[in-house]
């Protein structure tokens, strides 16, 4: 029974991965897959129903909804992913430096992280957009500025746990250089946990970025982005609620896949989660704060 | 314990100083000259360079940066954040009422979140892996993957337009709280109840439960004790939730036209009203730090093991 359920959860993870890969591929291949240019206005087809030429219908300007969804993958998913990866890289670098160097460097870098983390997410983002002006790139910049500290803390605490392990001491005795030890012996141990937190933070970031675009603080018209599309659809939602469906469901699908994957990874990293006595609550909490609901 | 609390509060004060300096720098980074903006806000028809220089001296903008910071901090502490660039009114006269409205929404939502997560967490933990547990977790999974504004739009469509039961927006009566609170509560409780659930499940395997059972305690009494222990995890979590909530009502407030900080801040950003943005950042970041410090001291009271960390 246990094996079956584990297999099933693995299958779900595989399915989620497949869904995400398909979405990413569709985003990259949007110019070839989209049946129409995403900005092509056709007032004769306003609020057009689903048809063969326009599989998801037309929006308030007669633009092809499917094409806009496909092009929207780029800012809504791919750019957000890039921003999360950037903050993971920065966080990993700072975390490894702090954890491995220890002493004053560690204390200084960690206080810096404290300051960064003491700004609630949205406030930091709004502050950055407030100074630099509205726009998707500024939102993403704000996220990178904020999230690296979170990843740095996680990597740092893993590094500190491992830095004194016997095999690391052994490598040091053999005269292995610091960088080699970091990359060959310490980094691989941190990766699984980092992947769990990064993936759950990807889901929440995606929701938050789309929310800011929805408020008009992100990408500007006529560019296609899911949050932006929802904000346009909301104007006519009492007469045409169906326009809210496609972009909203795409966000739900993407975020669900990301969250499934992240939960499955957490299970794989720590199969004890859910039954273990000691470690479990803190771990769950760490993952949850990373997710930081929008 | 007193030493622990004192050290924790000292850190919080230091952090507040750093944060306030960063918030102060915000305005220095902004591409608008404060003196010029204030003149515009006061409705001066012809802004000349002499007027700007005069205003600069009046506002003390020609002084060294740290001196400016000190006087800015002194007046900020007295809630004097200067004048809004857009309306020309004192910032606090806009921010104060908005803050109260957001606090009300946050308080009601926090209460709903705590009740909902504890109730669902206990309910699901007692039925681990049975269908009610699975169904709740499944629904929570789906709801937390939804953009809150999307959920909000559908709720408005259903309850306000189709059924005509609740107001679509604004803050006029108790009924106005229902939809925004529901959207906020669903998002947070959907995550938090899982923590309570798993910590209760883990807690049920502890030795004291076995001991209690051997002593003939009823299941009800045991559940109560396990829950009391799970609250050690829950209290800091809820403590964190309040300030996070305070800062993330932005989207929900804008959807429901709630006259709070979220609506005000987005308006300020779109209107490039820097004093308002600055005061907003300072206010929320400070509440975040204060809430964190208080909730950490509280968890220290509940769980002596945590005190050693500092």
């Amino acid at each position: 029974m246990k094996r079956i359920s584990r297999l099933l959860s693995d299958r779900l993870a595989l399915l989620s991965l497949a869904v995400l890969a398909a979405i990413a591929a569709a985003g990259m291949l949007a110019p070839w897959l989209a049946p129409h240019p995403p900005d092509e206005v056709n007032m004769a087809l306003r609020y057009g129903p689903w048809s063969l030429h326009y599989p998801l219908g037309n929006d308030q300007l007669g633009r092809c909804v499917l094409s806009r969804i496909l092009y929207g993958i780029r800012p809504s998913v791919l750019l957000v992913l890039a921003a999360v990866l950037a903050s993971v890289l920065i966080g990993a670098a700072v975390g490894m430096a702090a954890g491995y160097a220890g002493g004053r460097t560690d204390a200084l870098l960690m206080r810096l992280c404290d300051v960064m983390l003491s700004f609630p997410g949205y406030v930091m983002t709004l502050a950055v957009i407030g100074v630099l002006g509205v726009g998707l790139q500024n939102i993403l910049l704000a996220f990178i500025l904020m999230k690296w500290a979170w990843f740095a803390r996680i990597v740092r605490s893993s590094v500190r746990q491992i830095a004194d392990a016997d095999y690391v001491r052994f490598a040091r005795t053999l005269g292995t250089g610091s960088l080699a030890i970091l990359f060959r012996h310490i980094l691989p141990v941190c990766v699984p946990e980092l992947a769990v937190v990064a993936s759950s933070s990807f889901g929440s970031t995606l929701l938050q970025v789309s929310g800011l675009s929805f408020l008009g603080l992100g990408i500007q018209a006529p560019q296609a982005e899911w949050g932006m599309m929802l904000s346009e659809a909301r104007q006519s939602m009492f007469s045409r609620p169906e326009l809210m469906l496609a972009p909203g469901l795409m966000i739900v699908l993407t975020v669900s896949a990301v969250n499934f994957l992240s939960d499955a990874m957490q299970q794989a990293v720590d199969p004890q989660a859910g039954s273990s006595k000691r470690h479990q609550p803190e771990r769950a909490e760490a993952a949850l704060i990373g997710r930081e609901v929008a | 314990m007193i030493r622990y609390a004192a050290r924790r509060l000292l850190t919080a004060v230091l952090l507040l100083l750093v944060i306030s300096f960063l918030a102060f720098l915000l305005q220095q980074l902004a591409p608008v000259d404060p003196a010029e903006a204030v003149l515009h806000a006061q409705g001066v028809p012809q802004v000349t360079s002499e007027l700007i220089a005069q205003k600069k001296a009046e506002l003390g903008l020609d002084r060294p940066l740290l001196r400016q910071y000190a006087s800015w901090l002194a007046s900020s502490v007295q809630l004097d954040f200067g004048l809004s660039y857009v309306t020309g009114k004192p910032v606090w006269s806009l921010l104060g009422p908005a803050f109260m409205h957001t606090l009300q929404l946050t308080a009601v939502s926090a209460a709903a979140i705590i009740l909902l997560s504890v109730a669902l967490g206990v309910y699901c933990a007692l039925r681990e892996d049975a269908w009610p547990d699975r169904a709740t977790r499944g629904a929570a999974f789906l709801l937390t993957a939804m953009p809150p504004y999307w959920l909000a739009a559908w709720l408005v469509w259903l309850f306000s337009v189709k059924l005509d039961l609740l107001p679509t927006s604004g803050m006029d009566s108790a009924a106005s709280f229902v939809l925004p609170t529901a959207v906020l509560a669903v998002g947070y409780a959907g995550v938090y109840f899982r923590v309570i659930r798993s910590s209760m499940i883990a807690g049920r395997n502890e030795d004291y439960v076995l001991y209690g059972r051997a002593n003939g305690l009823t299941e009800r009494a045991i559940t109560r004790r396990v829950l009391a222990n799970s609250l050690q995890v829950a209290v800091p979590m809820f403590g964190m939730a309040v300030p996070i909530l305070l800062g993330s009502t932005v989207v929900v407030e804008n959807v429901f036209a709630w006259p709070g900080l979220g609506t005000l801040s987005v308006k300020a950003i779109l209107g490039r009203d820097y004093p308002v943005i600055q005061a907003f950042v300072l206010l929320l970041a400070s509440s975040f730090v204060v809430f964190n410090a208080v909730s950490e001291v509280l968890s220290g009271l509940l769980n002596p093991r945590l005190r050693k960390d500092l």
Side-chain angles (χ1 to χ4, degrees):
Chain A
M1 191 59 213
K2 220 173 191 176
R3 280 209 189 128
I4 297 174
S5 70
R6 195 173 289 168
L7 190 71
L8 197 72
S9 71
D10 265 355
R11 271 202 197 143
L12 268 176
L14 278 180
L15 181 70
S16 313
L17 201 59
V19 167
L20 290 176
I23 292 175
M28 284 186 263
L29 300 177
W32 292 276
L33 290 177
H36 303 274
D39 303 336
E40 191 183 70
V41 175
N42 190 342
M43 291 314 263
L45 289 169
R46 289 187 75 192
Y47 301 115
W50 298 11
S51 66
L52 210 60
H53 285 286
Y54 295 91
L56 292 179
N58 307 74
D59 68 1
Q60 73 284 354
L61 294 175
R63 294 174 296 196
C64 172
V65 172
L66 177 65
S67 307
R68 291 182 71 72
I69 292 274
L70 286 171
Y71 273 92
I73 295 174
R74 296 173 168 201
S76 311
V77 182
L78 297 179
L79 285 179
V80 174
L81 181 66
V84 171
L85 288 180
S87 54
V88 168
L89 282 181
I90 299 173
V94 174
M96 289 206 299
Y100 196 72
R104 218 174 263 172
T105 321
D106 181 32
L108 189 75
L109 288 173
M110 283 305 109
R111 287 300 81 77
L112 188 63
C113 285
D114 281 347
V115 175
M116 300 309 292
L117 290 173
S118 64
F119 278 94
Y122 261 112
V123 178
M124 178 78 171
T125 319
L126 292 178
V128 172
I129 306 171
V131 173
L132 299 179
V134 295
L136 184 67
Q137 68 275 34
N138 293 341
I139 293 182
L140 296 177
L141 189 70
F143 271 95
I144 298 173
L145 275 176
M146 187 173 63
K147 291 270 164 142
W148 69 265
W150 175 246
F151 295 119
R153 261 206 183 162
I154 293 163
V155 171
R156 182 241 177 205
S157 68
S158 311
V159 170
R160 292 217 58 108
Q161 276 168 20
I162 308 160
D164 281 331
D166 285 341
Y167 73 91
V168 174
R169 286 192 189 171
F170 185 66
R172 209 175 289 143
T173 333
L174 287 180
T176 317
S178 292
L179 276 180
I181 290 182
L182 273 176
F183 280 98
R184 208 170 303 152
H185 300 300
I186 296 185
L187 188 64
V189 187
C190 306
V191 165
E193 193 168 357
L194 200 58
V196 170
V197 182
S199 60
S200 81
S201 138
F202 176 43
S204 72
T205 309
L206 213 146
L207 281 178
Q208 290 180 11
V209 170
S210 85
L212 292 165
S213 289
F214 177 79
L215 295 180
L217 299 176
I219 218 158
Q220 300 297 306
Q223 282 238 46
E225 193 272 348
W226 295 346
M228 177 80 187
M229 289 173 75
L230 282 173
S231 148
E232 288 170 351
R234 190 169 151 250
Q235 316 284 330
S236 59
M237 100 154 277
F238 298 137
S239 51
R240 309 275 172 180
E242 65 272 14
L243 276 177
M244 302 275 300
L245 280 177
L249 287 178
M250 280 308 289
I251 297 177
V252 175
L253 178 73
T254 316
V255 176
S256 304
V258 170
N259 287 354
F260 257 126
L261 199 62
S262 149
D263 286 357
M265 281 201 284
Q266 182 165 3
Q267 287 278 324
V269 171
D270 181 16
Q272 298 269 296
S275 61
S276 106
K277 272 189 180 178
R278 269 188 331 122
H279 235 60
Q280 200 268 330
E282 294 117 78
R283 208 178 257 285
E285 211 185 341
L288 288 173
I289 298 171
R291 191 167 287 174
E292 204 184 88
V293 246
Chain B
M1 186 60 216
I2 291 173
R3 261 191 66 192
Y4 169 79
R7 291 181 81 164
R8 191 62 199 80
L9 292 178
L10 188 69
T11 335
V13 171
L14 286 177
L15 207 50
L16 279 176
L17 277 176
V18 177
I19 285 172
S20 65
F21 189 64
L22 288 179
F24 169 72
L25 285 183
L26 264 184
Q27 193 154 25
Q28 310 294 316
L29 293 170
V32 176
D33 179 30
E36 206 180 325
V38 168
L39 286 173
H40 278 298
Q42 289 173 338
V44 177
Q46 199 75 42
V47 177
T48 60
S49 50
E50 288 102 69
L51 270 174
I52 292 179
Q54 195 189 340
K55 198 77 200 170
K56 266 200 175 130
E58 191 188 316
L59 294 171
L61 294 171
D62 47 359
R63 291 174 302 168
L65 197 65
L66 278 178
R67 188 75 78 65
Q68 281 187 48
Y69 167 65
S71 66
W72 173 80
L73 188 64
S75 49
S76 293
V77 170
Q78 299 162 45
L79 300 179
D80 172 14
F81 297 102
L83 300 177
S84 153
Y85 288 175
V86 174
T87 60
K89 285 186 205 152
V91 170
W92 184 248
S93 76
L94 303 167
L95 209 61
F99 187 47
M100 291 324 283
H101 295 153
T102 297
L103 269 185
Q104 283 172 25
L105 183 61
T106 308
V108 174
S109 307
I113 289 167
I114 292 173
L115 282 176
L116 206 61
S117 1
V118 172
L120 284 177
V122 173
Y123 180 81
C124 287
L126 293 179
R127 287 160 190 76
E128 189 187 354
D129 284 334
W131 72 265
D133 176 34
R134 283 164 184 271
T136 313
R137 278 188 293 155
F141 191 90
L142 214 61
L143 284 169
T144 44
M146 275 181 199
Y149 53 90
W150 194 62
L151 181 64
W154 287 118
L155 288 178
V156 167
W157 181 75
L158 180 65
F159 288 103
S160 313
V161 180
K162 292 282 153 189
L163 301 175
D164 197 20
L165 288 174
L166 296 164
T168 53
S169 61
M171 185 187 161
D172 309 315
S173 63
S176 308
F177 279 87
V178 178
L179 290 181
T181 305
V183 173
L184 286 170
V186 157
Y188 281 81
V191 175
Y192 291 153
F193 92 95
R194 284 174 40 165
V195 178
I196 297 195
R197 175 186 171 274
S198 52
S199 97
M200 279 207 55
I201 289 173
R204 277 196 323 196
N205 298 324
E206 297 275 357
D207 293 338
Y208 72 86
V209 173
L210 191 66
Y211 179 75
R213 261 200 201 108
N215 273 329
L217 281 184
T218 59
E219 281 304 309
R220 227 190 144 75
I222 288 174
T223 304
R224 217 168 41 230
R225 283 170 170 76
V226 174
L227 177 62
N229 264 326
S230 298
L231 289 183
Q232 273 180 16
V233 182
V235 167
M237 183 176 76
F238 290 136
M240 286 288 288
V242 173
I244 292 179
L245 200 57
L246 208 57
S248 58
T249 55
V250 181
V251 171
V252 170
E253 279 189 19
N254 277 284
V255 175
F256 291 105
W258 195 263
L261 282 183
T263 312
L264 182 70
S265 61
V266 169
K267 217 185 279 171
I269 288 172
L270 292 175
R272 307 219 131 207
D273 199 349
Y274 292 102
V276 177
I277 302 174
Q278 192 178 34
F280 164 77
V281 169
L282 185 66
L283 186 66
L284 278 189
S286 319
S287 349
F288 197 72
V289 170
V290 171
F291 270 109
N292 267 348
V294 170
S295 85
E296 262 177 52
V297 170
L298 274 182
S299 359
L301 272 175
L302 287 175
N303 187 352
R305 274 174 295 180
L306 290 177
R307 288 178 215 161
K308 289 190 184 129
D309 283 0
L310 254 165

